[in-house]
Amino acid sequence: MSTQNTAPATEAARETTRTQHLRRYLMCRPEHFTVSYTINPWMVPANPTDTDAALRQWQVLHDTYLALGHEVELIDPVEGLPDMVYTANGGFLIDGIAYGPKFRFQERAGEAVPFIEWFRANGFDTREPVEVNEGEGDFLLVGDVILAGTGFRSTGDSHREIGDVFGREVVSLTLTDPRFYHLDTALAVLDPVQGVSNGGPERANIAYLPSAFDPRSQAILAERFPEAIHVSDEDGSVFGLNSSSDGYNVIISPRAKGFEKQLLERGYNPVLVDLSELLLGGGGIKCCTLELRGA
Ligand code: ARG
């Protein structure tokens, strides 16, 4: 299922046609959201959180997906698991196979069972992991390849395991800046499947913050994605890259001004959704979104 959109304004954009692909997502209402522990540099328990504000902001994201034509499934929030709203960490799914999470920190360990049970109950061929991994927070599908992050959360061994589970090429990337501790905080997939540019085929494209990666990973990304958007540290540090693209609409933080402009220049349609309250837990738009890729 896809619809064609003619992109707006600028010269380059006018020549580019982007294609929206409809998706199915898993989300979790932040009913129990708070910051009561610190497992990333954004989390400061002394700073007050407002659960109602988190719920309101989350609802806008949820309703935006529906308005764009996507499907959203919900998993029940569990009391005492304030980070469960970040469903991206709950697994990684391709072709109806769900690879479950094994959280790095004890504080989130309790989320694994509810996510794995949800995948089973919803008909996914569910695989329990041996290795520590935090799902789509660290694994991103781009074209046929899985980009896999390590350095802070998911281990290198999980990269091998995920390659075995899905039988796909896995490209390991090492994160080095503690602010960007999951791959999805430093890199966004813009065209998960082949896009079309100027009437011809184009490689699946990404946006990323080069300085969040070690030199080896930067070289790999530069070689594989010569057309990638490089975002500024300024946009990266408001979680601008923690965004969600359907190939045409890219939901981003309203604070990521430079990234918004870069997207428009490439013919994408930036859609602004503010999740500032959820950033207090070190998460944004992508963190609250898990893609359910069916069989
Ligand atoms: N507080 C959560 C943690 O540190 C935030 C998770 C953000 N998720 C993401 N996909 N980047 O684990």
Side-chain angles (χ1 to χ4, degrees):
M1 272 184 297
S2 65
T3 50
Q4 290 268 314
N5 293 280
T6 310
T10 77
E11 198 59 38
R14 221 176 295 134
E15 294 170 21
T16 310
T17 304
R18 300 284 169 196
T19 305
Q20 183 198 26
H21 297 268
L22 294 180
R23 313 239 177 261
R24 188 171 170 225
Y25 295 126
L26 181 64
M27 297 181 72
C28 179
R29 278 170 60 78
E31 265 165 46
H32 308 293
F33 176 73
T34 185
V35 175
S36 53
Y37 50 80
T38 305
I39 56 172
N40 69 55
W42 305 86
M43 301 175 82
V44 181
N47 293 346
T49 49
D50 179 340
T51 306
D52 287 335
L55 279 162
R56 279 195 303 275
Q57 293 182 343
W58 177 93
Q59 193 67 45
V60 173
L61 179 63
H62 172 272
D63 295 353
T64 300
Y65 284 134
L66 295 185
L68 291 172
H70 302 295
E71 255 181 86
V72 179
E73 305 287 346
L74 296 176
I75 181 170
D76 289 333
V78 177
E79 204 178 337
L81 297 175
D83 276 341
M84 206 169 154
V85 58
Y86 306 114
T87 52
N89 300 120
F92 184 67
L93 299 88
I94 312 177
D95 294 340
I97 298 174
Y99 173 63
K102 185 165 170 182
F103 288 88
R104 167 93 167 72
F105 295 110
Q106 196 47 41
E107 287 86 343
R108 296 195 68 183
E111 295 176 42
V113 167
F115 277 110
I116 286 170
E117 280 176 358
W118 192 93
F119 300 139
R120 286 217 173 95
N122 285 273
F124 288 93
D125 172 0
T126 304
R127 313 289 173 87
E128 294 200 30
V130 173
E131 308 299 342
V132 169
N133 82 88
E134 299 198 350
E136 212 168 51
D138 274 326
F139 302 129
L140 295 171
L141 183 66
V142 49
D144 289 331
V145 174
I146 299 170
L147 301 181
T150 188
F152 297 100
R153 299 292 181 91
S154 303
T155 60
D157 285 332
S158 74
H159 297 184
R160 178 195 33 78
E161 189 172 50
I162 202 170
D164 293 344
V165 168
F166 293 104
R168 300 203 182 214
E169 184 189 0
V170 177
V171 176
S172 287
L173 302 168
T174 302
L175 297 159
T176 53
D177 182 333
R179 292 174 301 161
F180 308 110
Y181 56 92
H182 278 136
L183 184 62
D184 71 359
T185 66
L187 188 150
V189 179
L190 299 173
D191 310 288
V193 295
Q194 210 138 296
V196 176
S197 169
N198 302 330
E202 187 197 20
R203 292 165 59 138
N205 206 12
I206 63 167
Y208 66 102
L209 174 63
S211 63
F213 296 90
D214 73 353
R216 184 196 63 92
S217 308
Q218 288 183 26
I220 293 172
L221 290 169
E223 207 230 307
R224 288 200 176 234
F225 303 102
E227 319 216 306
I229 295 178
H230 290 186
V231 307
S232 64
D233 187 274
E234 202 183 345
D235 287 343
S237 52
V238 291
F239 264 35
L241 284 164
N242 198 252
S243 58
S244 155
S245 173
D246 63 21
Y248 173 61
N249 305 292
V250 188
I251 307 186
I252 63 166
S253 160
R255 302 194 213 175
K257 295 285 176 218
F259 188 34
E260 180 186 357
K261 197 161 157 277
Q262 288 169 310
L263 288 167
L264 281 169
E265 282 164 7
R266 309 287 187 108
Y268 296 100
N269 182 40
V271 177
L272 311 181
V273 173
D274 180 25
L275 289 192
S276 55
E277 195 61 31
L278 289 152
L279 189 55
L280 298 174
I285 291 160
K286 177 66 196 75
C287 301
C288 295
T289 310
L290 174 63
E291 189 170 348
L292 301 169
R293 298 183 192 85

